[in-house]
Structures are given as C-alpha cells and as structure tokens.
Amino acid sequence: MRIEQLEYLEAIVKTGSINEAAKNLYLTQPSLSNALKELEKEIGIQILVRSKLGVSLTDDGREFMIYARQILDNVHLLEERYQKQSPRKQALSISAQHYAFVVHAFVELIRGVNTEEYQFTLRETETQNILEDLTAFKSELGVLYLNNFNKQVLEKLFKENDLVFTPLFVAQPHVFVGAHNPLIGKKYVTLEDLEEYPYLSYEQGERNSFYFSEEILSTLDRKKNIKVSDRATIFNLMVGLNGYTISSGIISSELNDDKIVAIPLKVEDTMTLGWLKHHKLELSPLAKEYLEILKQHIEGFGFEIVE
C-alpha cells in the first residue's frame, strides 16, 4: 500500500467522481481506476460503489477512510514540519446530546485553531443518531449520559456497535428554568414542586424509547408535556411558559444561557456524562485536544473529572 494510493482515494471521495478526481490529479481516468482496483485487491474489500451518478463509500470503505485519513494527517504533519508545505485542512465531527458545555468547548477549540482552512461538524442530535453516527464513522466523538435507568440498555447497544464509553463526570440532576420562574430562590426543588409547570424534553424520533431520553425520570406521568428538537427552543419555552427540563446543571452564560437558572432536583439519582468512540478508531490529535478543553471547561464549573 502506497501513500499516493490513499491520496488518490481521498481525492475520489472528495469529488464523488473518478473523472473529476483524475482531472484534479492530472491523471487519466483509466490509470486512476486501476490504482483504486489495485488498492481494493490488496486490502481485500470493496471501498467504493460505482453508479451513473458517481461513486460513494461502502460501509467497509467508510471504516477504511478513517484509518487512511489518520495516515494522511500524519504524513502532512511530517511534510509541514520538514518541507514547509501548507498545512492540511483540519477536520473534526462530534455528535452529542444537547449540552451547553459541549458547544462551549467546541467554540474554544475552533478559536484556537491556527489554520486558514478547517472542516468542523457539531451535531446536537437524538441519542440513537449519536450511536449511528459513530458506527458509520460520520463522527469521531459522541457525548451522552448514563444513569441507573438507561445504563444496561445503552451499554448493550455500545457493545453491539463496537463503541467504547468513557466517563467524564458525575452530576446531580438539576432543573433548568427561566430566570423569572416562581421556583427561583429555592435551595432545591422536588417533583411535587414541578407538578403544575410544563415539562420540556427533547424528542427522540421514531425510536422514542424511554431509554434514549436525554432527561432522567422520563417514565414519570406528567400533566403538561412539550417535546422540542433544539436547545434554543427549549430555552425560549422555559422563559415564555415557565417550563422546565432536567439536566446536568452546567449552564454557559457565554453562550446566551444567562436567562436560564439551574436548581438542584431532590431525587435519588445521578447522571454520568461521558464520551463515546468506535473501538477501532484511534483518536485524532484534534479530538484529543477537544477532550482536554472539554475537561477543563467541566472542571471550571466545579465538577471532578472521573479518572
């Protein structure tokens, strides 16, 4: 296997066309096709599916590209260090439940990137989508929580999908409410205190299982229920309707959360928030840097990182 073969493959994937990639590489279409066939034969998998509309990666091809890009990243780092070539465009994709600390760390990471070009993706999405993104190598990292209720089911899914969960910190559940909610000023709230307020939760799509819920105590029967799909909407409903949701307690005033207040919820439960990755994937330097920023941000809110 040669570095140039991986570079050829990357060009094909980027353009979605062997013809276009050949033009960009100043190669003939047959020579590029032959190079790809040789690579597929050598590693024993089909990397691309060819059609009239172009080419796309197979499942095996997506996994192969994860490793190929890591190799190319390291090659370009060597070239940048010793040949003074322009740096390779940095890329990172993250899929997460709806947490402000995830976004805040993402912002800090990008602010610190010293390059003119980059490709970053942050998906605040449904729990099932996080697992699917990691399994398909669409994202390098995932962030979600476990507790006594969902742990057994989710850990079974992690195992089935070759995913590894690493704890970050343990949080006591908090209720998020608007800054003018009548509950403000209480040292803590109980479930009884919340009975007359609208309960806000994130929808989980077609597989709306209680085990995929982003909020603990998802099986409780509530008088008023509102499902939402994004943090901006849930915050607006907290302010506009005196609604509430249940989360970790971390609020980022730097990211427009200043109208929201966290109040401890008096229940016998905890949330273990952590990150996920595919066990076959070695984290990129950028992903490792993001995790360090994430940990620093979490510690800044007074939480102890699980070692």
Side-chain angles (χ1 to χ4, degrees):
M1 187 185 305
R2 303 185 306 278
I3 297 299
E4 65 180 13
Q5 288 177 305
L6 303 184
E7 291 177 332
Y8 292 167
L9 176 60
E10 184 180 46
I12 295 171
V13 172
K14 184 177 180 180
T15 60
S17 165
I18 293 178
N19 286 333
E20 287 300 316
K23 292 177 184 178
N24 294 340
L25 295 167
Y26 301 101
L27 297 171
T28 63
Q29 187 271 337
S31 63
L32 185 56
S33 294
N34 289 335
L36 177 62
K37 290 177 182 177
E38 289 177 5
L39 179 60
E40 289 180 320
K41 182 178 180 181
E42 182 178 351
I43 62 178
I45 64 170
Q46 182 179 355
I47 300 174
L48 298 175
V49 176
R50 300 156 180 82
S51 70
K52 293 180 180 179
L53 299 177
V55 294
S56 59
L57 288 167
T58 64
D59 289 342
D60 286 336
R62 290 192 191 95
E63 182 175 354
F64 180 79
M65 279 305 300
I66 294 293
Y67 294 106
R69 285 180 175 130
Q70 290 179 23
I71 293 171
L72 291 173
D73 282 340
N74 287 326
V75 169
H76 282 269
L77 284 173
L78 284 172
E79 290 174 343
E80 181 185 354
R81 173 66 177 84
Y82 294 104
Q83 297 181 10
K84 305 302 180 183
Q85 294 188 3
S86 54
R88 177 178 170 80
K89 182 187 291 186
Q90 298 196 59
L92 179 66
S93 293
I94 298 169
S95 296
Q97 293 176 331
H98 299 76
Y99 298 121
F101 66 88
V102 170
V103 181
H104 196 165
F106 192 76
V107 170
E108 290 186 20
L109 176 73
I110 296 177
R111 284 175 177 170
V113 171
N114 186 24
T115 179
E116 294 182 358
E117 296 185 25
Y118 56 73
Q119 179 66 50
F120 290 96
T121 304
L122 176 59
R123 302 181 182 91
E124 281 194 319
T125 187
E126 300 160 8
T127 303
Q128 178 65 30
N129 289 343
I130 296 174
L131 307 186
E132 292 177 355
D133 287 349
L134 294 171
T135 303
F137 298 100
K138 289 174 62 178
S139 287
E140 190 171 349
L141 293 175
V143 181
L144 46 67
Y145 87 95
L146 297 179
N147 73 338
N148 289 332
F149 176 72
N150 69 7
K151 183 176 181 180
Q152 185 174 2
V153 171
L154 290 186
E155 285 186 339
K156 181 175 182 292
L157 291 173
F158 297 164
K159 184 175 181 180
E160 290 174 354
N161 289 282
D162 291 331
L163 303 178
V164 180
F165 178 83
T166 302
L168 281 168
F169 69 104
V170 178
Q172 298 294 327
H174 282 64
V175 171
F176 285 2
V177 296
H180 300 292
N181 190 289
L183 296 172
I184 296 297
K186 282 182 170 289
K187 185 177 181 180
Y188 61 82
V189 295
T190 66
L191 294 174
E192 289 74 20
D193 293 328
L194 300 169
E195 285 182 353
E196 299 303 320
Y197 295 92
Y199 171 62
L200 312 174
S201 60
Y202 291 106
E203 61 182 359
Q204 294 298 323
E206 295 180 0
R207 300 183 182 182
N208 195 21
S209 166
F210 289 122
Y211 297 109
F212 291 159
S213 174
E214 297 186 39
E215 304 81 20
I216 68 166
L217 307 173
S218 58
T219 59
L220 292 182
D221 186 27
R222 294 174 170 89
K223 294 179 182 179
K224 304 172 183 178
N225 290 276
I226 302 175
K227 293 281 187 182
V228 302
S229 60
D230 62 85
R231 281 192 307 117
T233 300
I234 210 169
F235 285 175
N236 288 338
L237 294 178
M238 287 177 201
V239 174
L241 296 176
N242 278 336
Y244 76 92
T245 193
I246 303 174
S247 192
S248 65
I250 295 182
I251 296 177
S252 176
S253 59
E254 293 185 32
L255 297 179
N256 303 318
D257 294 358
D258 52 323
K259 295 182 180 180
I260 306 303
V261 176
I263 309 173
L265 177 62
K266 191 176 182 181
V267 291
E268 295 296 325
D269 203 350
T270 59
M271 304 169 63
T272 299
L273 291 99
W275 58 278
L276 274 174
K277 77 173 189 71
H278 199 285
H279 93 277
K280 294 182 179 178
L281 177 64
E282 180 68 28
L283 291 183
S284 66
L286 207 55
K288 292 177 181 178
E289 183 179 350
Y290 173 77
L291 285 175
E292 288 306 310
I293 295 173
L294 191 65
K295 291 175 182 178
Q296 292 170 14
H297 185 57
I298 291 166
E299 288 177 327
F301 279 91
F303 291 92
E304 183 178 349
I305 297 297
V306 176
E307 297 296 343

